Short mmCIF file of all heavy atoms in Angstrom, two decimals:
data_model
loop_
_atom_site.label_atom_id
_atom_site.label_comp_id
_atom_site.label_asym_id
_atom_site.label_seq_id
_atom_site.Cartn_x
_atom_site.Cartn_y
_atom_site.Cartn_z
N SER A 73 11.36 7.94 6.71
CA SER A 73 10.40 8.02 5.67
C SER A 73 9.75 9.36 5.54
O SER A 73 8.55 9.56 5.50
CB SER A 73 9.27 6.99 5.93
OG SER A 73 9.80 5.68 5.95
N SER A 74 10.70 10.32 5.42
CA SER A 74 10.22 11.69 5.38
C SER A 74 10.80 12.43 4.15
O SER A 74 12.00 12.10 3.70
CB SER A 74 10.50 12.47 6.59
OG SER A 74 11.92 12.62 6.84
N PHE A 75 10.14 13.36 3.59
CA PHE A 75 10.59 14.17 2.48
C PHE A 75 10.05 15.56 2.71
O PHE A 75 9.03 15.97 2.14
CB PHE A 75 10.09 13.56 1.17
CG PHE A 75 10.58 14.20 -0.06
CD1 PHE A 75 11.89 14.55 -0.19
CD2 PHE A 75 9.81 14.49 -1.12
CE1 PHE A 75 12.44 15.17 -1.34
CE2 PHE A 75 10.26 15.10 -2.36
CZ PHE A 75 11.60 15.43 -2.41
N ASN A 76 10.81 16.37 3.48
CA ASN A 76 10.36 17.63 3.94
C ASN A 76 10.79 18.73 2.98
O ASN A 76 11.87 18.68 2.34
CB ASN A 76 10.79 17.93 5.36
CG ASN A 76 10.23 16.95 6.34
OD1 ASN A 76 9.07 16.35 6.10
ND2 ASN A 76 10.85 16.77 7.46
N PHE A 77 10.03 19.79 2.98
CA PHE A 77 10.22 20.90 2.02
C PHE A 77 10.37 22.24 2.74
O PHE A 77 9.46 22.50 3.55
CB PHE A 77 8.98 20.88 1.05
CG PHE A 77 8.95 22.06 0.11
CD1 PHE A 77 10.09 22.68 -0.37
CD2 PHE A 77 7.68 22.47 -0.33
CE1 PHE A 77 10.02 23.73 -1.31
CE2 PHE A 77 7.59 23.56 -1.25
CZ PHE A 77 8.76 24.21 -1.71
N THR A 78 11.47 22.89 2.62
CA THR A 78 11.62 24.18 3.26
C THR A 78 11.71 25.32 2.27
O THR A 78 12.40 25.28 1.21
CB THR A 78 12.94 24.08 4.04
OG1 THR A 78 12.88 23.07 5.11
CG2 THR A 78 13.21 25.40 4.71
N ILE A 79 11.04 26.36 2.59
CA ILE A 79 11.06 27.64 1.83
C ILE A 79 11.77 28.60 2.72
O ILE A 79 11.38 28.89 3.88
CB ILE A 79 9.63 28.12 1.49
CG1 ILE A 79 8.90 27.12 0.63
CG2 ILE A 79 9.73 29.41 0.68
CD1 ILE A 79 7.44 27.49 0.37
N THR A 80 12.83 29.15 2.21
CA THR A 80 13.63 30.15 2.92
C THR A 80 13.15 31.53 2.54
O THR A 80 12.94 31.80 1.34
CB THR A 80 15.14 29.97 2.64
OG1 THR A 80 15.53 28.61 2.99
CG2 THR A 80 15.98 30.97 3.39
N ALA A 81 13.14 32.43 3.49
CA ALA A 81 12.73 33.81 3.25
C ALA A 81 11.43 33.86 2.45
O ALA A 81 11.41 34.37 1.29
CB ALA A 81 13.88 34.55 2.56
N SER A 82 10.34 33.34 2.99
CA SER A 82 9.09 33.23 2.29
C SER A 82 8.57 34.59 1.78
O SER A 82 8.90 35.63 2.27
CB SER A 82 8.08 32.65 3.24
OG SER A 82 7.86 33.37 4.35
N GLN A 83 7.87 34.39 0.71
CA GLN A 83 7.21 35.61 0.00
C GLN A 83 5.78 35.36 -0.09
O GLN A 83 5.23 34.25 -0.07
CB GLN A 83 7.82 35.81 -1.32
CG GLN A 83 9.40 36.08 -1.28
CD GLN A 83 9.98 36.15 -2.71
OE1 GLN A 83 9.25 36.13 -3.75
NE2 GLN A 83 11.25 36.34 -2.74
N VAL A 84 5.05 36.44 -0.22
CA VAL A 84 3.61 36.38 -0.42
C VAL A 84 3.17 35.48 -1.55
O VAL A 84 2.21 34.65 -1.53
CB VAL A 84 2.97 37.79 -0.61
CG1 VAL A 84 1.41 37.69 -0.92
CG2 VAL A 84 3.17 38.65 0.64
N VAL A 85 3.94 35.45 -2.61
CA VAL A 85 3.64 34.67 -3.82
C VAL A 85 3.83 33.12 -3.46
O VAL A 85 3.35 32.30 -4.30
CB VAL A 85 4.50 34.99 -4.98
CG1 VAL A 85 4.21 36.37 -5.49
CG2 VAL A 85 6.03 34.90 -4.68
N ASP A 86 4.38 32.82 -2.38
CA ASP A 86 4.55 31.39 -2.00
C ASP A 86 3.22 30.81 -1.40
O ASP A 86 3.10 29.63 -1.24
CB ASP A 86 5.66 31.14 -0.95
CG ASP A 86 7.02 31.50 -1.54
OD1 ASP A 86 7.23 31.31 -2.71
OD2 ASP A 86 7.81 31.99 -0.73
N SER A 87 2.33 31.73 -1.20
CA SER A 87 1.02 31.29 -0.62
C SER A 87 0.28 30.34 -1.61
O SER A 87 0.05 30.69 -2.78
CB SER A 87 0.02 32.48 -0.36
OG SER A 87 0.64 33.34 0.68
N ALA A 88 -0.03 29.17 -1.14
CA ALA A 88 -0.59 28.10 -2.02
C ALA A 88 -0.83 26.84 -1.16
O ALA A 88 -0.48 26.85 0.04
CB ALA A 88 0.30 27.79 -3.19
N VAL A 89 -1.45 25.84 -1.78
CA VAL A 89 -1.52 24.54 -1.11
C VAL A 89 -0.30 23.73 -1.71
O VAL A 89 -0.16 23.72 -2.96
CB VAL A 89 -2.84 23.87 -1.43
CG1 VAL A 89 -2.87 22.51 -0.72
CG2 VAL A 89 -3.99 24.73 -0.92
N TYR A 90 0.42 23.14 -0.82
CA TYR A 90 1.52 22.24 -1.33
C TYR A 90 1.17 20.79 -1.05
O TYR A 90 0.78 20.39 0.03
CB TYR A 90 2.82 22.60 -0.55
CG TYR A 90 3.29 24.02 -0.99
CD1 TYR A 90 2.79 25.23 -0.38
CD2 TYR A 90 4.20 24.14 -2.03
CE1 TYR A 90 3.22 26.42 -0.77
CE2 TYR A 90 4.64 25.42 -2.46
CZ TYR A 90 4.14 26.50 -1.81
OH TYR A 90 4.63 27.72 -2.26
N PHE A 91 1.38 19.98 -2.10
CA PHE A 91 1.13 18.57 -2.05
C PHE A 91 2.37 17.73 -2.12
O PHE A 91 3.21 18.02 -3.02
CB PHE A 91 0.11 18.11 -3.13
CG PHE A 91 -1.19 18.62 -2.93
CD1 PHE A 91 -1.72 19.75 -3.53
CD2 PHE A 91 -2.11 17.96 -2.15
CE1 PHE A 91 -2.94 20.21 -3.41
CE2 PHE A 91 -3.45 18.35 -1.99
CZ PHE A 91 -3.85 19.56 -2.64
N CYS A 92 2.52 16.81 -1.21
CA CYS A 92 3.55 15.74 -1.39
C CYS A 92 2.94 14.52 -2.00
O CYS A 92 1.71 14.23 -1.76
CB CYS A 92 4.08 15.44 -0.02
SG CYS A 92 5.46 14.23 0.02
#
Side-chain angles (χ1 to χ4, degrees):
Chain A
S73 297
S74 64
F75 185 42
N76 296 337
F77 173 29
T78 297
I79 302 175
T80 302
S82 59
Q83 301 176 1
V84 174
V85 293
D86 295 328
S87 297
V89 181
Y90 290 86
F91 289 96
C92 180

